[in-house]
Amino acid sequence: MDDKKNIFTDSVNVTMHAMTLRDMSGSYAKVMRKTARMGNIVDKILEQEKNLSRETILYAAGLLRNGIVELLKGGAAVEVLELGVLYIKPTRGMETDKPEVDDVPPLTLSFSPSALAVAAVQNVTVGANVTPAKEPVVQEIIDLRTNTAGTTLSAGGSVLLKGKRLRITESSVGESGTGVYFAPCDGSGGYKADMSDWVRVNPSLITENTTTRLLFTLPADLTTGTYRLVIRTSNGRGTYPAKAVRSGMLAEVVTVV
């Protein structure tokens, strides 16, 4: 087991989002996730059990992890330390009224928390009301030529982006520069911020342009290499464009082959 850890405070931050259903007012909150690593768990254990060594705890945790993985491989649902149950479920439904075994989609995992785990978060302090994010967010990239998800794209092929706030629109005050861009970058992901060498996807190559999906063909002048994928849009609420251009950049480097 690794001994990595993250730094935490004793509160959570939230983002506020307006309801988008027509004829309905109100807002909802989302908790900004912060993940405790194995090192954080070990720290908590050692606060209570001074006689245990860090190495012993990590070794025991590795044994527990391996045992859980083996049970999952056998198709079992696993109760995890009285905190909840890991269980197997299909990734999607089946589009047939008479399904057979071969129609069952790929399997994935889900988690059902126990009453103990749910009770543990009931008194967590909300530490900040963070302004909701408005920039476009790419959550998945699919190379349609190879039908694979990831950051490797086929030159000249079609690409599907899935995410949030993706729809490309021009600014309501005429500010230019919206679109899908590929910014050439070096091995460490560094790129020119002035957009001077960015390759823009011509709007005519974008065949699907919605809030959650962008489908387009890679430009002919996008040569093989590494790039930062940038979405620049003035997508606002409903059909109304915003005044400012908002940019979202994929955290990972994209490779065109």
Side-chain angles (χ1 to χ4, degrees):
M1 295 291 294
D2 69 61
D3 196 17
K4 296 179 181 179
K5 64 179 74 176
N6 290 326
I7 299 174
F8 295 105
T9 59
D10 292 328
S11 63
V12 296
N13 293 336
V14 298
T15 58
M16 301 299 183
H17 304 264
M19 294 286 192
T20 57
L21 296 177
R22 188 171 297 175
D23 300 326
M24 184 178 183
S25 61
S27 301
Y28 64 95
K30 286 186 177 181
V31 173
M32 299 176 67
R33 182 182 301 176
K34 50 184 184 180
T35 302
R37 305 291 296 270
M38 193 63 214
N40 299 104
I41 298 173
V42 174
D43 286 346
K44 288 296 181 183
I45 294 173
L46 291 176
E47 288 176 6
Q48 304 296 325
E49 299 292 339
K50 306 293 185 182
N51 295 325
L52 289 175
S53 71
R54 197 172 194 91
E55 291 73 19
T56 299
I57 298 171
L58 290 169
Y59 178 72
L63 294 177
L64 283 170
R65 176 202 59 200
N66 294 343
I68 291 170
V69 169
E70 289 304 313
L71 288 168
L72 291 173
K73 287 180 179 178
V78 182
E79 183 186 39
V80 182
L81 304 177
E82 299 183 351
L83 295 176
V85 177
L86 275 172
Y87 63 93
I88 303 170
K89 70 173 187 178
T91 53
R92 60 179 184 274
M94 294 177 286
E95 299 179 358
T96 175
D97 294 330
K98 297 179 180 180
E100 299 181 0
V101 173
D102 291 341
D103 296 315
V104 176
L107 302 177
T108 187
L109 279 177
S110 193
F111 183 76
S112 177
S114 67
L116 174 65
V118 173
V121 303
Q122 295 305 301
N123 296 319
V124 173
T125 302
V126 176
N129 177 354
V130 181
T131 303
K134 296 180 179 180
E135 70 276 8
V137 176
V138 177
Q139 297 173 318
E140 186 178 16
I141 307 175
I142 301 175
D143 183 337
L144 296 182
R145 178 174 291 177
T146 61
N147 197 30
T148 56
T151 55
T152 300
L153 305 178
S154 302
S158 295
V159 177
L160 174 63
L161 304 183
K162 296 182 180 180
K164 299 177 181 179
R165 300 178 290 275
L166 297 179
R167 184 165 61 90
I168 304 298
T169 57
E170 292 290 340
S171 167
S172 62
V173 294
E175 184 175 350
S176 61
T178 61
V180 180
Y181 291 85
F182 288 84
C185 65
D186 57 27
S188 62
Y191 65 99
K192 293 182 179 179
D194 62 5
M195 300 175 60
S196 60
D197 60 350
W198 293 15
V199 180
R200 183 173 185 250
V201 176
N202 192 297
S204 65
L205 298 177
I206 302 176
T207 55
E208 185 174 356
N209 183 17
T210 70
T211 301
T212 58
R213 291 164 61 96
L214 285 175
L215 176 61
F216 56 89
T217 302
L218 293 181
D221 57 344
L222 187 68
T223 57
T224 58
T226 54
Y227 298 85
R228 304 303 298 265
L229 173 62
V230 183
I231 308 296
R232 289 174 52 84
T233 178
S234 296
N235 186 21
R237 292 191 62 186
T239 58
Y240 298 98
K243 292 182 179 180
V245 174
R246 298 161 179 158
S247 296
M249 177 178 291
L250 189 69
E252 298 84 5
V253 170
V254 172
T255 303
V256 177
V257 297

